[in-house]
Amino acid sequence: MKKALITGISGQDGSYLTELLLSEGYQVHGMIRRSSTFNTGRIDHIYRDPHNGEKAKMRLHYGDLASSDSLQNVISAVEPDEIYNLAAQSHVRVSFDMPEYTGDVTGLGTLRLLEAIRRTGGNVRFYQASTSELFGSASPPQSETTPFEPQSPYAVAKAYAHWITNNYRDGYGIFASSGILFNHESPRRGETFVTRKITRAVAAILAGRQKHLYMGNLDSKRDWGYAPEYVEVMWRLLQHDEPADLVIGTGEAHTVREFLEEAFGYVGLDYQEYVRIDPQYFRPTEVDYLLAEASKARDLLGWEPKIRFKDLVRIMMDADLELQGLESPGEGKCLLAERFDGWHRWEDQVVSMDK
Ligand code: NAP
Ligand code: G4F
């Protein structure tokens, strides 16, 4: 039985990757941070195998990318065949507030992990979670040959992580691959990333629990895909004969404004009545336009995304409507708008930490 170690197992991608690897027969080990409250909400349902009800082959270990000894300890204890480095301070706006911390965890943390692999000398395969943010201000579409022009402390930290991964591959012969993934979303997406912030807000507005949605730049374009399809590429990349760097995206970009139109429109509302612009959500430097040219992934791994923009919005909307106890409007139906009376009784629920 193969053993995989996932850093960032409690995040969006970590949770989907765990499900995938368990279904492929792996024993999955995940690294989690110590927290004063539970931080395993996305993986709690995996403790039991959904197929047979038995205890899942998943174990959790305390560790942190900021601490070399914890990484050494986990790797020595697990002796994994594959390591997926998904842990990061992953929020671009937050990286402007915490640049040093982001550089330490997202950048140097990758070095600490690679160094632990080099020292233990095992024959492990390593996946690095690189990002389309590396391309920054480079003209779209972006592929593996597009030069990096990072535009935030997060992107600069990820550039370090990307290059140090290449360096350990070339210098020490470690089987190390980087997936340069464009934005991917799901109902498990963190609540302060823009897609989830929007779908949560639409559902809360419809439920009468929120009145307005405060946003930043609506003109930036992103290539949004569906997270479960993207974690499959991570796994397939490590099964390939040779290590490689690979761009993953849908090849279709939309503005934040279009996401708003689609999400509000899904429940029969006009976003312009609810959205307000708040300068606190603008970034010192913005990435305007990300669009993947992912033909190498198609040629190398036969990978093609199936879920496109409108379906993605619907999947996320349906999940957030359900969380609010509301029904999905479903195909072609015009909505729950009738239930939409009395919202004005509620105060705005603007969370100050919402980035
Ligand atoms: P996410 O939901 O923000 O999850 C990040 C994970 O990293 C969480 O499990 C978090 O733990 C963990 N973490 C944070 N700081 C840590 C530290 N110091 N030590 C150990 N673990 C730490 O991110 P995601 O969306 O799943 O993305 C996974 C990876 O892909 C990230 O590296 C991200 O930068 C990268 N990426 C994401 C996208 C995307 O669109 N989602 C695109 C390209 C690349 P807690 O739960 O305790 O916070
Ligand atoms: O959802 P976002 O915060 O994602 P961003 O910055 O593209 O980063 C995400 O994708 C990267 C891959 O390209 C990952 F590497 C990274 O870890 C993360 O997962 O913002 C998307 C766009 C930005 O242009 C932002 O300025 O939405 C714009 N936006 C407008 N109003 C907002 C808001 N973003 C957030 N988070 N909150 C707003 O209110």
Side-chain angles (χ1 to χ4, degrees), residues 221-348:
K221 289 185 177 168
R222 290 292 182 272
D223 180 331
W224 281 297
Y226 185 44
E229 294 187 332
Y230 284 47
V231 300
E232 195 187 328
V233 189
M234 300 175 184
W235 173 66
R236 283 212 227 163
L237 193 50
L238 289 201
Q239 312 317 304
H240 194 62
D241 305 340
E242 298 292 330
D245 296 343
L246 215 54
V247 157
I248 303 297
T250 68
E252 185 183 328
H254 295 271
T255 60
V256 173
R257 193 185 308 283
E258 286 172 306
F259 198 104
L260 282 166
E261 279 165 1
E262 194 65 30
F264 276 89
Y266 185 59
V267 294
L269 300 178
D270 178 357
Y271 83 93
Q272 294 181 85
E273 289 178 30
Y274 305 97
V275 170
R276 302 285 182 268
I277 300 301
D278 184 334
Q280 74 162 309
Y281 298 119
F282 284 83
R283 294 156 186 201
T285 40
E286 177 62 278
V287 170
D288 294 324
Y289 193 169
L290 293 175
L291 174 68
E293 201 287 277
S295 54
K296 186 175 170 189
R298 198 177 48 234
D299 296 345
L300 202 71
L301 304 178
W303 182 81
E304 285 273 15
K306 295 182 193 70
I307 302 294
R308 296 291 172 163
F309 179 67
K310 281 177 190 265
D311 289 330
L312 175 66
V313 176
R314 287 192 187 132
I315 289 168
M316 294 180 70
M317 276 303 310
D318 283 350
D320 275 321
L321 288 170
E322 195 180 335
L323 282 178
Q324 290 288 348
L326 299 173
E327 286 165 28
S328 159
E331 278 288 326
K333 274 194 231 157
C334 190
L335 332 211
L336 302 167
E338 314 86 71
R339 299 164 76 158
F340 192 68
D341 47 6
W343 57 263
H344 51 274
R345 289 177 314 213
W346 297 80
E347 292 298 319
D348 262 358

Side-chain angles (χ1 to χ4, degrees), residues 32 69 92 114 157 183 188 198 247 249-250 267 299 314:
I32 57 164
D69 59 347
V92 174
L114 286 163
N183 300 52
R188 295 185 200 168
I198 293 170
V247 157
T250 68
V267 294
D299 296 345
R314 287 192 187 132

Side-chain angles (χ1 to χ4, degrees), residues 8-13 31 33 39 42 64-65 86-90 101 105 129-131 154 158 181-185 189:
I9 193 170
S10 57
Q12 170 189 257
D13 291 2
M31 198 180 83
R33 300 192 282 179
N39 59 354
R42 291 189 181 98
D64 197 303
L65 283 187
L86 309 187
Q89 191 303 92
S90 71
Y101 175 78
V105 168
S130 286
T131 163
Y154 166 77
K158 281 286 187 181
L181 271 52
F182 283 60
N183 300 52
H184 45 280
E185 320 292 313
R189 184 58 146 151

